[in-house]
Amino acid sequence: MEYPITYQKYEEGLARGEFLALQCKACGSVTFPPMAVCRECSGSEMSPVSLSGKGQVRTFTVVRVAPEGKAPPYIVAMVELDEGPYVIGNLLDLDPDQATMDLMGKEVRLGSRLMKGDIYSIGDAHALTFSLMK
Amino acid sequence: MREVAILGVAMTRFGISEKTNLEMFAEVGIEAIQKSNLAPKDMGALFFGNCLGAFEEGQLHMAPFAHSELGLPVSAPATRFESACATATVAIRHAALLVAAGVYDIVIAGGTERAAKMGTPLATRTFAMASQAQHESNAGITFPGVFAMAAHMYADKYKVDLSVLKMGMAEVAVKNHYHGAMNPKAHFQKEINVDTVLGSMMVADPLQLFDCCPFSDGAAAVVIAEANKAKDLVEKPIFVAGMGQASCGPLYLQRDITRVRAREESIHQAYTQAGIGPDEVDVAELHDCFTIAEILAIESFGFYEFGKGYDAASRGETRLGGKVVVNPSGGLKAKGHPIGATGAAQVTEIVEQLRGESGARQVEGARVGLVDTLGGDLGTVCNIILRS
């Protein structure tokens, strides 16, 4: 098989502001970030699909003790996208000290930003970001 | 499949060590072999756990060096296992499987780790390598952060006020430190109270420092043999009643992280093989890397209904003398967490409990014990049920 959307293509998509996802021809589930098979049914027949870029906060934390190379505090959130996938990224535009349980279920818009790589990583790469809908 | 038993067990004191990974492992390996009334030449294979030797000491391919330190014969292959924090449990499970299958009669398994040596920033970075690199670690997620997100989701899902959940979590830490204070091998042998936890620095909201296990150095090893051989060699062999292991991909694919799907599958396998259910477990050594993790685990095992385990420690039900004693060793929280060795130390504790050798923290009349180790961000769980 040929890997449907490689990480490099996904990353280039993020750099252009696009979120490259895959929809399963068998069960209809959307897989994002892209993988070799459908996240729900392991089907390998998938076609490219675009995302609305909207979702809801399902959980979060404020990281205050960070890995070397990262500058805390920052918010990490898990968001359920309208198309079904859950993704992990950084919630921006909110003071980490203002992050409370009120964030649960809040609607957010998906984005990304370039993060600096370290000697252990494959280099600079985009991480997903979330912004609260006004 | 043949019945399998555990013979000699040994662990170093967990904490800060000046010894190398190999020196620590040699100490426990030789002790475990001697306690089995065996010699190094009797070992058919070494199942060796280590996660981060490359970062701790610039050492890869440690298994054959450990093999030489123990004086094992060339005919006994040494293989390294890496399953993040579940490393040694996975090594022991595979050792037991190959003995059960008749490939080997007597083997040694365990692990060693020198996590404290790295210091907190590098240790935090290397532990985060067990999250998916492109889609999780890149956003700066940490292991406390993963379980912090589970805690927030738990409070939201079960409509438990966060302050109430945090009190229940703090009681887990208090209970495990109470147990650890009775364990001369524990990293922290000191009792704490809820104010210690709730007054400590915030690490990843809502987890505070005393909700988190430490980075520790240490090693542990166990000798495993076919059951009839074991009965001839030692007075109290401890039998492997059931085992399970399951895998579940990156955190974002797991979605509801209050339910550890790999654990639910793994414990089902182990209960089924052992022919028992949660009511028959007398004592459990489970993966309390963070206080919320213990709450998730006791629910997965069926000790408590989902959403109802958060105040088990507050009610004293998981404490020594309670209905099911959880982490009498002090758990990862107080005993310490040298990740590559942790599972072998959990097995060591359960074996000693079932032999009645645990001194002040002995669970009276314990006959069935459960080992539970979780690797990565809920990606690997391995369970071993032992009986006397």
Side-chain angles (χ1 to χ4, degrees):
Chain A
M1 64 89 72
E2 179 83 18
Y3 203 90
I5 299 176
T6 60
Y7 178 69
Q8 187 179 343
K9 284 185 181 158
Y10 163 83
E11 174 66 16
E12 288 166 3
L14 292 181
R16 295 192 304 270
E18 292 173 33
F19 304 101
L20 302 181
L22 292 164
Q23 184 161 32
C24 180
K25 289 181 180 174
C27 77
S29 297
V30 172
T31 296
F32 179 81
M35 299 195 306
V37 297
C38 170
R39 66 179 163 87
E40 286 295 332
C41 74
S42 305
S44 53
E45 293 291 311
M46 296 188 289
S47 30
V49 66
S50 58
L51 295 177
S52 66
K54 289 191 295 185
Q56 294 185 344
V57 174
R58 289 292 170 246
T59 190
F60 72 96
T61 184
V62 179
V63 173
R64 297 182 188 275
V65 176
E68 64 177 23
K70 303 276 185 194
Y74 50 84
I75 304 172
V76 176
M78 184 145 67
V79 163
E80 181 178 8
L81 300 176
D82 285 1
E83 291 81 4
Y86 276 46
V87 291
I88 288 175
N90 297 120
L91 180 65
L92 307 179
D93 312 327
L94 181 70
D95 175 356
D97 289 332
Q98 304 300 315
T100 68
M101 289 294 283
D102 291 342
L103 276 175
M104 293 296 200
K106 282 277 190 304
E107 298 206 322
V108 294
R109 180 165 290 287
L110 183 63
S112 76
R113 63 175 173 175
L114 193 63
M115 305 291 277
K116 191 146 184 58
D118 65 10
I119 57 168
Y120 311 118
S121 69
I122 57 174
D124 297 353
H126 286 78
L128 296 177
T129 60
F130 313 113
S131 304
L132 292 170
M133 300 268 211
K134 297 293 183 237
Chain B
M1 298 282 267
R2 307 189 298 176
E3 192 174 22
V4 172
I6 298 183
L7 293 80
V9 296
M11 65 177 281
T12 63
R13 180 176 174 179
F14 283 3
I16 311 290
S17 177
E18 294 308 313
K19 292 176 180 144
T20 69
N21 272 310
L22 290 171
E23 288 163 352
M24 291 190 294
F25 190 76
E27 288 184 353
V28 295
I30 290 165
E31 185 180 334
I33 292 169
Q34 288 175 347
K35 283 179 171 171
S36 306
N37 300 312
L38 290 163
K41 66 173 172 47
D42 300 317
M43 299 298 116
L46 166 62
F47 298 77
F48 177 81
N50 175 257
C51 292
L52 295 167
F55 297 92
E56 293 157 357
E57 299 176 328
Q59 183 68 71
L60 275 177
H61 205 215
M62 209 184 285
F65 304 127
H67 170 281
S68 295
E69 287 278 356
L70 295 181
L72 303 189
V74 177
S75 58
T79 309
R80 177 218 185 173
F81 285 73
E82 189 275 299
S83 295
C85 307
T87 289
T89 318
V90 170
I92 290 169
R93 174 173 177 268
H94 285 80
L97 286 173
L98 286 175
V99 173
V103 176
Y104 304 112
D105 289 331
I106 302 171
V107 302
I108 181 165
T112 186
E113 202 72 58
R114 215 178 172 192
K117 181 74 183 161
M118 291 187 287
T120 297
L122 178 59
T124 305
R125 175 69 182 95
T126 56
F127 278 46
M129 290 179 186
S131 288
Q132 211 275 2
Q134 283 80 45
H135 305 305
E136 294 179 348
S137 316
N138 193 23
I141 192 64
T142 61
F143 270 91
V146 167
F147 285 88
M149 291 201 295
H152 277 154
M153 192 181 274
Y154 187 101
D156 184 59
K157 177 180 176 183
Y158 297 119
K159 306 298 173 215
V160 179
D161 191 85
L162 189 61
S163 63
V164 174
L165 177 58
K166 278 183 59 65
M167 184 59 77
M169 289 159 50
E171 293 279 11
V172 170
V174 171
K175 183 261 297 175
N176 288 347
H177 272 262
Y178 165 71
H179 291 161
M182 291 181 269
N183 183 354
K185 299 283 181 71
H187 191 156
F188 300 127
Q189 299 171 30
K190 188 180 165 194
E191 289 196 53
I192 60 168
N193 57 40
V194 290
D195 294 334
T196 320
V197 184
L198 298 174
S200 61
M201 67 178 278
M202 193 65 81
V203 171
D205 305 23
L207 300 188
Q208 295 177 251
L209 184 63
F210 276 79
D211 286 301
C212 308
C213 69
F215 297 114
S216 310
D217 303 330
V222 306
V223 171
I224 299 166
E226 184 274 323
N228 288 318
K229 274 209 159 46
K231 288 173 197 165
D232 293 340
L233 285 162
V234 296
E235 195 182 334
K236 292 181 183 171
I238 298 299
F239 301 94
V240 177
M243 299 191 292
Q245 187 184 335
S247 303
C248 202
L251 200 67
Y252 56 88
L253 289 180
Q254 302 191 31
R255 294 184 278 194
D256 180 355
I257 58 174
T258 66
R259 298 282 297 266
V260 182
R261 289 160 62 192
R263 176 178 281 126
E264 289 175 31
E265 170 57 30
S266 173
I267 193 66
H268 173 72
Q269 293 171 11
Y271 279 154
T272 302
Q273 189 188 350
I276 67 162
D279 292 346
E280 281 129 295
V281 176
D282 300 312
V283 54
E285 279 289 311
L286 61 78
H287 203 81
D288 61 321
C289 48
F290 303 95
T291 51
I292 183 68
E294 177 165 315
I295 293 167
L296 301 185
I298 59 177
E299 294 179 2
S300 294
F301 299 146
F303 297 165
Y304 291 87
E305 288 175 36
F306 290 104
K308 304 286 188 197
Y310 65 89
D311 58 355
S314 310
R315 292 200 301 263
E317 293 172 355
T318 49
R319 176 184 282 250
L320 207 57
K323 73 169 190 174
V324 53
V325 184
V326 173
N327 289 327
S329 70
L332 281 54
K333 175 70 199 80
K335 183 185 62 205
H337 187 26
I339 54 176
T342 283
Q346 291 174 309
V347 171
T348 295
E349 175 72 14
I350 293 294
V351 165
E352 290 178 349
Q353 286 284 351
L354 299 182
R355 284 178 175 156
E357 296 172 347
S358 297
R361 63 184 195 284
Q362 178 65 44
V363 178
E364 284 308 317
R367 295 192 62 247
V368 176
L370 168 62
V371 169
D372 166 82
T373 331
L374 179 151
D377 45 2
L378 325 184
T380 295
V381 175
C382 192
N383 291 118
I384 300 175
I385 296 173
L386 300 171
R387 65 172 177 84
S388 55

